[in-house]
Amino acid sequence: MDKPVVCVGALVKGPSGKWLIARTTKWRGHWGVPGGKVEYGEPFEAAVKREFREEVGLTLRDARFAQLQEAVLSPEFHKEAHFVLVDFLAETNDETVTPNEEIVEWAWVDLRAALTFDLNTYTRTLVEYALEHA
């Protein structure tokens, strides 16, 4: 990649009050949140809703911007990349995950319990944000 890529992701609360975290094939074994690249002409909120449908089969509601992060050549990512990460907090009415090929494992957890997982740096920051603002 020769320029930064804009990506969206969300920490999502289900009807049980627990939050979804996932381990994917792309973060060298670290846990994170579902998300992905924003397509040209696609608003951020539409992108995060699309990515959740594609990766875990969930429909998001009440998606709200949380924070902006930058991942520059992170050794946690499986290849060299420069990302602008647009993070959301959201909710879903269903906790039935239908994973795509990128999702290795997932868990619905309390926010404090999420911090005991081997989270990637950017997800850890998002969970800490949620603890303060959710």
Side-chain angles (χ1 to χ4, degrees):
M1 293 182 205
D2 59 354
K3 58 185 172 184
V5 175
V6 179
C7 294
V8 291
L11 186 58
V12 174
K13 183 167 68 171
S16 70
K18 296 191 182 233
W19 300 76
L20 178 65
I21 58 172
R23 207 163 50 82
T24 72
T25 58
K26 295 184 176 182
W27 286 93
R28 298 189 193 270
H30 296 287
W31 288 75
V33 295
K37 296 175 188 167
V38 177
E39 296 175 359
Y40 182 79
E42 184 179 37
F44 294 150
E45 186 175 337
V48 77
K49 288 178 176 180
R50 175 186 52 75
E51 284 290 339
F52 260 76
R53 279 189 310 276
E54 290 175 1
E55 291 191 4
V56 293
L58 294 174
T59 300
L60 299 187
R61 64 177 174 79
D62 300 327
R64 55 207 179 278
F65 172 78
Q67 64 183 9
L68 188 68
Q69 299 188 72
E70 185 178 38
V72 181
L73 309 177
S74 173
E76 294 174 307
F77 197 66
H78 72 107
K79 64 182 181 179
E80 190 173 281
H82 180 175
F83 296 122
V84 176
L85 304 170
V86 183
D87 292 334
F88 286 82
L89 298 178
E91 295 184 22
T92 184
N93 292 329
D94 188 11
E95 292 181 357
T96 304
V97 172
T98 306
N100 73 0
E101 68 283 350
E102 291 179 24
I103 304 296
V104 175
E105 189 176 4
W106 64 91
W108 290 96
V109 298
D110 294 321
L111 283 177
R112 292 215 180 277
L115 294 174
T116 68
F117 284 73
D118 183 18
L119 302 173
N120 68 53
T121 303
Y122 311 98
T123 299
R124 182 166 299 280
T125 300
L126 180 56
V127 169
E128 290 168 351
Y129 175 91
L131 280 165
E132 290 181 29
H133 298 93

